[in-house]
Amino acid sequence: MSRRIVLAPDSFKGTASAADAAAALAAGWARTAPDDEVLARPMADGGEGTVDALAAADPAAERMPVRVTGPDGRPVDTSWLRLTGADGERLGVVELASASGITLLDPLQPLDAHTIGFGEAIAAALDAGVDRLLLAIGGSASTDGGLGALTALGARATDASGQPVAPGNRGLGDLDAIELSGLRPLPPGGAVILSDVTNPLLGPAGAAAVFGPQKGADADTVALMDAHLARFVRVLRHGFEAADAPRPAPAPETPGAGAAGGAGYGLLAWGATAVSGAAAVAEAIGLAAAIDRADVVVTGEGRFDGQSEAGKVPSEVRATALAAGVPVALVAGAIAAETGDFVASVSLTDLAGSGDEAMARTLHWLEEAGARLAGEVAAG
């Protein structure tokens, strides 16, 4: 008897995109259950791959090329995504990872990497006349509080002598004033931050402490970066007061302010609002409607662990499937948390015999996982 299967994985970071993961799972599933109807709905949570996931779900999506300033000052050729909503709304999707992402750096530059290119890509979408922005901010290379993006959007950040500060977190240490009068307004429908991170900007759970080491910072550098971010908060607050802004500067304790090296904080200062990246992507690709007509859902990610419950793709897909009364299965490169709510689960590491082998041939083992899951589901 033919069944409808929805495949909604996240990317397997560094080894397989969400779209490629879904295709490999589909190939394996077809080997075991060729009569089943398989629908791919690759997912993302606001990090790298968000543009790809949204583009895959909309044949009319347009990638709009743009050259921006990369996180180390070198030019980067990237694109933002233009979508048309059901009501004709012109949507622009801008992904930080492709303009100011950590994969663009070698070596890492924890004090000097910046988000200027991300702001330039946002400006390009504004120039094209979008009605609303979706801003995917995972995968950042920097800890500049989003000041680079704000300056690309028209803010002016200066030191005590009135000169522009250097890009990156290092420049925050010299920051004396921020002039906001030239900051470009939001598009008519506003801007939405897509992220799975709820960390505050400062302190032991903040941008520098939690994510700085991933960006090349040692303990002393982390402390320095956190102090520089705190200076940014103070100066920005004065900038809001000087501009007689209709709202106060965002609080550094705001959940998500520490996302993407504090880019979440900078975007909140611009006036953007923050939402769960996975939930927003799920809504944009019509995941609930697809699942409502399904018999089985399969989701996955590179590592399923305790953090997976905090707004990651598998938790979002699982919640949507369970709400619809549809069983959901899990595939992950490694599984380090309970999987009780899933009807079946496959670890690529266990399937392949080692983590190294699973990472070396991820698509192969995803296909094998698809075949195994199809058999387990068929067996009840």
Side-chain angles (χ1 to χ4, degrees):
M1 180 178 177
S2 177
R3 298 161 300 186
R4 178 187 288 257
I5 314 300
V6 172
L7 305 176
D10 195 357
S11 63
F12 285 60
K13 297 294 189 291
T15 58
S17 69
D20 287 344
L25 288 167
W29 196 285
R31 281 168 34 199
T32 301
D35 293 332
D36 284 351
E37 178 188 359
V38 178
L39 181 65
R41 283 291 183 268
M43 275 283 292
D45 58 15
E48 185 176 1
T50 298
V51 160
D52 290 340
L54 295 177
D58 184 356
E62 294 181 83
R63 293 181 186 267
M64 309 299 292
V66 60
R67 174 167 286 189
V68 301
T69 306
D72 58 359
R74 292 179 297 176
V76 169
D77 289 315
T78 183
S79 62
W80 58 277
L81 190 69
R82 182 159 60 188
L83 303 171
T84 301
D87 57 357
E89 182 183 40
R90 295 167 298 179
L91 294 173
V93 187
V94 186
E95 188 176 288
L96 184 150
S98 68
S100 304
I102 195 168
T103 59
L104 300 173
L105 284 186
D106 185 17
L108 300 176
Q109 299 182 22
L111 283 169
D112 298 309
H114 55 74
T115 55
I116 291 173
F118 180 46
E120 291 171 343
I122 293 172
L126 292 174
D127 290 342
V130 298
D131 297 314
R132 185 160 63 101
L133 283 167
L134 303 180
L135 305 174
I137 65 171
S140 167
S142 69
T143 311
D144 74 346
L147 182 60
L150 291 178
T151 57
L153 290 168
R156 188 167 184 266
T158 55
D159 61 19
S161 65
Q163 296 301 306
V165 297
N169 183 278
R170 191 187 304 275
L172 300 183
D174 297 322
L175 192 61
D176 183 70
I178 298 177
E179 172 58 56
L180 299 172
S181 61
L183 190 61
R184 297 185 63 162
L186 296 168
V192 178
I193 304 164
L194 310 183
S195 174
D196 66 341
V197 171
T198 57
N199 299 67
L201 181 66
L202 304 174
V210 175
F211 306 112
Q214 301 170 8
K215 300 170 185 180
D218 59 20
D220 290 341
T221 304
V222 164
L224 181 65
M225 292 195 303
D226 194 59
H228 288 178
L229 288 170
R231 183 182 184 92
F232 175 42
V233 170
R234 295 192 298 271
V235 175
L236 184 64
R237 186 179 298 124
H238 292 319
F240 267 69
E241 293 169 354
D244 196 22
R247 54 186 173 81
E253 300 83 11
T254 304
Y265 182 76
L267 293 173
L268 290 169
W270 188 36
T273 57
V275 301
S276 162
V281 172
E283 180 181 2
I285 69 174
L287 182 65
I291 286 178
D292 194 52
R293 302 189 302 274
D295 296 295
V296 178
V297 178
V298 180
T299 188
E301 64 179 348
R303 179 179 175 83
F304 184 79
D305 56 23
Q307 294 186 16
S308 299
E309 300 297 328
K312 298 283 189 178
V313 164
S315 63
E316 178 66 29
V317 175
R318 179 181 59 190
T320 304
L322 294 179
V326 178
V328 58
L330 173 72
V331 178
I335 296 177
E338 293 298 321
T339 59
D341 288 337
F342 295 99
V343 295
S345 61
V346 176
S347 160
L348 300 189
T349 296
D350 292 345
L351 195 61
S354 73
D356 288 343
E357 169 61 16
M359 293 186 68
R361 296 199 296 159
T362 301
L363 294 179
H364 167 79
W365 293 111
L366 279 167
E367 182 173 334
E368 294 304 311
R372 174 176 289 193
L373 282 176
E376 291 185 11
V377 169

